[in-house]
Amino acid sequence: MGQEFSLADGSEVSHAGPVPSVPPPDRVDMRLQARFKELAGANPPFDTIHRNLIIAILGAPGAEDFGSRLYDSDQTHAGLVELDLPHYIHAIREALGVGAHGEATSVSSRTAFYFKVFSKGFAELSKDDARILTRTACALAIASGGPIGAAPPAIDSPLLEAILRAMFRYAKQPTEITLDEFCEFTSTEFPDMFIGAMKWIEIQGLAHCKDEEKTKSDVVWTILHSLPNLISAEGLEAGKGLLDYTTLWALTSALPDLYKVPDQWLMLYNSTTHGFSSNRFRHHVHNYDGPTVILFRLEKGALIGVCVDTEWKDKVKPWGGPNSRLFTVLPDFRMLHQNILVYENEKTRHVEHGIGFGADPSTAASALLWIQDDMQTLVMKYAPLANHAEPLTDRIRTVEVWGCGTSETALKQQRQRQRDLLAAEQKQKVKRLGTWEGEDRYLMELAGLNVDAQIDIRAEKKLALKK
């Protein structure tokens, strides 16, 4: 324990050594000092905090031992059962990834810090400890960003096991992973794995800031959020569909930042609630001018998804931006890191109808992922899933689409829907020839049409057919 770590590039990420002198108070320290006073108030003479209290406030459902792991991993207070203010400030700042002058430490340093917490100071992380690390990171994200009462994942959660398999694809040994291998995994596939843990430490370790201070960057330091709020369709409970909170944590840990900026994900479409057809899909998803995440649950159990970084369009020419991704969630967790184009065609004749994703998504033969136009069948060629050596073809059981834009994005879509509905209602009011009356009749006659003559001709044709 307390040994120094270094990355392959030689950069040091050691966390051992004496407590540095406390720098001049900044916006982090002001909140730390205020929180210290709150906690020390229960421990006369009010100038230290007991180890058990720190362990208690940093534990969470599914991460009950996080506080003790965090406390015991810091060698600057080894052997101490009580922390004074300088030790407390040092410990919490380090866990938050905040440097001596308020700057953020490097991602590799933060990753190495949490690696050390769970490896107990060793240079390798065992597979069992990696499983605990993964569950703890997820549980803390749910505790800090999920709704009150949201349950943490089970220790044997299929998704956590899928993430563990993804992690150990980077390891040379089947039962342990080194720091460099772990950093390669997080930087490549899971860059925001510990945002939830850091947010939890902020909530529990720093004094809460006032609402009016949250918008003033010169007054308060804060992590915006660990998980976006889920806003489900009417009649559906958030977190109970395809996108539960464990899956939400996994996706927001892995997807590009574009999908993490908003503080809410809005369910645009659920095939069970809104109807299972391409028409209903387009009705609920089109005109949403923001990024979206689409999940497909297949009959055989696989969970596959696509994130699209631009508004959906029904057009023959493929479209999409650099932050679109194709991914699998279960039974394997994998991200395809390349620009994914999208093809969607329902109306244009002489070209294939359906939805495609890939470098050349315009045909079922060339797309990496192809959805038939009836939304019933999916064909996937990328990253064959477990037990599928050949491209996967399966029936689609459920589809969910989540909008990852702002509240204004959703409002603009609602306004466009209202305009489309009004236009449809106006179109229905246009009466067929033979029923024109009043002002409509006057306008038709101004256009040079003899309405009565046309009515007589149609009446004669109907009479002749009856005979």
Side-chain angles (χ1 to χ4, degrees):
M1 291 181 64
Q3 75 178 85
E4 293 185 350
F5 289 78
S6 62
L7 299 177
D9 61 6
S11 57
E12 187 164 307
V13 290
S14 173
H15 297 282
V19 178
S21 59
V22 179
D26 59 17
R27 52 186 179 269
V28 180
D29 283 348
M30 288 188 289
R31 292 179 66 192
L32 281 169
Q33 291 170 7
R35 181 59 168 157
F36 182 88
K37 290 180 181 179
E38 293 173 1
L39 297 174
N43 188 39
F46 315 121
D47 57 359
T48 61
I49 304 174
H50 197 277
R51 174 183 186 273
N52 292 344
L53 179 57
I54 295 177
I55 290 174
I57 65 170
L58 292 179
E64 288 81 4
D65 67 345
F66 177 63
S68 60
R69 285 178 177 271
L70 197 64
Y71 190 100
D72 295 340
S73 68
D74 193 335
Q75 292 301 294
T76 61
H77 55 252
L80 298 178
V81 296
E82 295 183 355
L83 295 187
D84 58 14
L85 178 59
H87 280 94
Y88 181 78
I89 288 178
H90 168 75
I92 299 298
R93 287 177 73 104
E94 191 174 32
L96 288 172
V98 179
H101 301 287
E103 77 283 3
T105 58
S106 67
V107 174
S108 60
S109 291
R110 295 198 298 272
T111 302
F113 172 82
Y114 286 98
F115 181 94
K116 182 201 71 169
V117 168
F118 287 89
S119 71
K120 305 180 183 71
F122 293 107
E124 295 82 23
L125 183 70
S126 71
K127 197 165 193 175
D128 287 341
D129 284 332
R131 180 177 288 108
I132 295 172
L133 177 153
T134 304
R135 187 193 186 210
T136 299
C138 179
L140 294 178
I142 293 174
S144 61
I148 296 174
I155 189 65
D156 59 349
S157 159
L159 178 51
L160 296 190
E161 289 299 309
I163 295 170
L164 194 66
R165 289 194 298 271
M167 183 190 302
F168 273 77
R169 286 199 294 267
Y170 291 82
K172 295 178 181 178
Q173 301 297 325
T175 59
E176 62 184 25
I177 187 169
T178 67
L179 174 61
D180 283 321
E181 292 165 346
F182 183 73
C183 285
E184 184 181 2
F185 160 70
T186 55
S187 63
T188 304
E189 298 205 38
F190 236 61
D192 286 334
M193 187 173 196
F194 299 112
I195 290 296
M198 294 165 63
K199 184 63 178 179
W200 178 250
I201 293 169
E202 181 198 349
I203 292 172
Q204 299 297 96
L206 277 65
H208 295 180
C209 55
K210 299 177 181 178
D211 289 339
E212 62 268 20
E213 293 176 338
K214 293 180 180 180
T215 59
K216 300 177 182 179
S217 60
D218 59 334
V219 173
V220 63
W221 175 95
T222 185
I223 299 170
L224 291 179
H225 55 266
S226 54
L227 292 178
N229 296 323
L230 293 183
I231 303 177
S232 289
E234 185 176 354
L236 290 177
E237 184 179 351
K240 297 297 185 181
L242 298 186
L243 188 63
D244 59 22
Y245 286 99
T246 300
T247 306
L248 179 64
W249 166 75
L251 292 181
T252 53
S253 295
L255 292 179
D257 289 342
L258 176 70
Y259 303 88
K260 308 169 191 177
V261 173
D263 60 0
Q264 67 178 33
W265 281 17
L266 173 67
M267 181 185 282
L268 300 178
Y269 172 73
N270 176 281
S271 57
T272 303
T273 301
H274 298 126
F276 209 148
S277 70
S278 58
N279 177 272
R280 303 313 300 159
F281 173 87
R282 292 178 174 93
H283 171 76
H284 287 278
V285 175
H286 279 216
N287 297 316
Y288 185 84
D289 189 14
T292 50
V293 172
I294 305 95
L295 295 172
F296 301 94
R297 172 73 77 187
L298 306 185
E299 287 287 353
K300 297 176 183 177
L303 183 60
I304 292 172
V306 180
C307 59
V308 178
D309 60 6
T310 57
E311 180 182 358
W312 278 76
K313 310 173 183 69
D314 189 347
K315 58 187 297 186
V316 174
K317 185 178 179 180
W319 48 270
N323 289 308
S324 296
R325 298 283 189 274
L326 170 62
F327 57 86
T328 61
V329 179
L330 289 172
D332 294 327
F333 190 90
R334 295 174 183 262
M335 285 281 162
L336 180 56
H337 292 277
Q338 69 178 57
N339 297 347
I340 295 297
L341 296 178
V342 185
Y343 168 89
E344 183 189 12
N345 177 41
E346 180 187 26
K347 301 175 181 178
T348 304
R349 302 168 65 183
H350 309 303
V351 290
E352 286 196 64
H353 287 189
I355 303 174
F357 306 92
D360 180 11
S362 55
T363 68
S366 61
L368 293 177
L369 179 66
W370 182 263
I371 313 298
Q372 290 187 356
D373 192 46
D374 60 4
M375 297 286 289
Q376 299 297 311
T377 304
L378 174 151
V379 179
M380 186 175 189
K381 298 176 183 177
Y382 160 67
L385 301 173
N387 303 320
H388 289 282
E390 300 296 328
L392 172 67
T393 300
D394 201 356
R395 299 278 292 178
I396 300 172
R397 193 168 70 194
T398 313
V399 183
E400 279 186 6
V401 183
W402 292 84
C404 308
T406 64
S407 299
E408 180 61 28
T409 308
L411 185 59
K412 286 173 61 178
Q413 186 195 35
Q414 291 179 356
R415 290 169 179 165
Q416 184 60 48
R417 280 184 185 172
Q418 291 172 352
R419 287 192 289 267
D420 291 343
L421 180 62
L422 181 60
E425 291 175 348
Q426 293 295 331
K427 188 175 181 180
Q428 289 178 353
K429 290 180 180 179
V430 176
K431 300 179 180 180
R432 297 191 178 201
L433 193 63
T435 61
W436 300 103
E437 298 294 341
E439 183 178 351
D440 291 334
R441 182 186 186 93
Y442 172 71
L443 292 174
M444 292 292 287
E445 290 177 345
L446 282 181
L449 295 177
N450 189 329
V451 176
D452 290 332
Q454 295 292 330
I455 294 174
D456 291 342
I457 293 172
R458 291 180 64 191
E460 289 174 3
K461 287 183 177 180
K462 287 182 179 180
L463 184 61
L465 289 173
K466 290 180 179 180
K467 292 179 180 180

